[in-house]
Amino acid sequence: MNTIKMSYKGMLFEVNPQSIQTDFSKKVETKALPFGFGRTAVVCRMPATVSGSGILTGENAGERAFELMRIFEKGGASYLFMPKIAPVKAYFTALALSVRDENCIEYRFTFTEECTEKKSHYAFGYTYARAGENLYDIANRCSVSSSKLFEANDYMDMFSVSEGDKVWLN
């Protein structure tokens, strides 16, 4: 499997961040029912957040830090491509820079998923398989037909997908 480099709005991270964490959550509501019973239901899925940190090193560390700041200041959401994680359309919501010296700058970032209606297709043409997923699960998550996924990829059957596999959607 090929590991891609992280990129956002045309900025390619020459070296992937040292850590990337994606957090998913749901808002749940509990209602009391008669006779001491209760009912809990999912109200909505909250936007995913992607956070992490890394180090920019070398003579052009300052230039790359400035490029991060420039992209942070740009408005609007864009696709965030990450190694071994499905791309997410997100806003760049937090950036922290810490200068060790002129050739070494530490950075921390947070991206927040754009939450709009469910998309009928993904513009980037692929996704990454999550733990325990098969082609049926991926088809449902990405709103494409399972037969289309099977035709577009080289799998023995619908269940031979492994976590982290790059799965073509068209």
Side-chain angles (χ1 to χ4, degrees):
M1 178 179 71
N2 294 333
T3 298
I4 66 167
K5 292 188 179 200
M6 188 167 127
S7 66
Y8 183 76
K9 288 190 177 183
M11 180 178 175
L12 181 67
F13 288 69
E14 295 171 12
V15 176
N16 281 323
Q18 293 172 323
S19 68
I20 301 174
Q21 177 177 327
T22 304
D23 295 310
F24 301 94
S25 63
K26 295 179 182 178
K27 183 175 181 180
V28 296
E29 187 175 280
T30 303
K31 291 186 178 186
L33 298 174
F35 309 111
F37 292 100
R39 179 176 182 194
T40 302
V42 174
V43 176
C44 66
R45 184 181 75 80
M46 304 302 288
T49 59
V50 177
S51 58
S53 62
I55 299 175
L56 303 170
T57 59
E59 291 179 5
N60 65 348
E63 293 171 20
R64 289 185 292 162
F66 182 75
E67 179 69 5
L68 268 175
M69 289 187 296
R70 187 185 67 75
I71 290 172
F72 176 76
E73 292 298 326
K74 273 185 165 183
S78 187
Y79 282 104
L80 172 64
F81 295 92
M82 302 164 283
K84 300 183 181 183
I85 301 172
V88 174
K89 190 167 188 181
Y91 295 95
F92 197 165
T93 53
L95 174 66
L97 299 170
S98 178
V99 179
R100 285 188 185 174
D101 62 50
E102 63 185 37
N103 294 327
C104 185
I105 301 173
E106 294 179 11
Y107 65 94
R108 291 184 315 282
F109 59 85
T110 302
F111 291 90
T112 304
E113 178 184 27
E114 175 187 64
C115 279
T116 56
E117 71 283 346
K118 188 173 180 180
K119 305 290 187 221
S120 60
H121 70 284
Y122 285 78
F124 42 81
Y126 66 89
T127 188
Y128 287 96
R130 296 176 184 165
E133 279 190 320
N134 58 50
L135 287 182
Y136 293 111
D137 299 324
I138 296 168
N140 183 49
R141 175 169 54 89
C142 297
S143 300
V144 297
S145 74
S146 55
S147 60
K148 187 175 183 180
L149 284 184
F150 190 73
E151 291 172 15
N153 294 277
D154 188 28
Y155 290 108
M156 298 287 288
D157 57 51
M158 300 296 278
F159 301 97
S160 57
V161 179
S162 298
E163 179 182 5
D165 282 358
K166 187 176 192 175
V167 179
W168 293 100
L169 302 177
N170 47 6

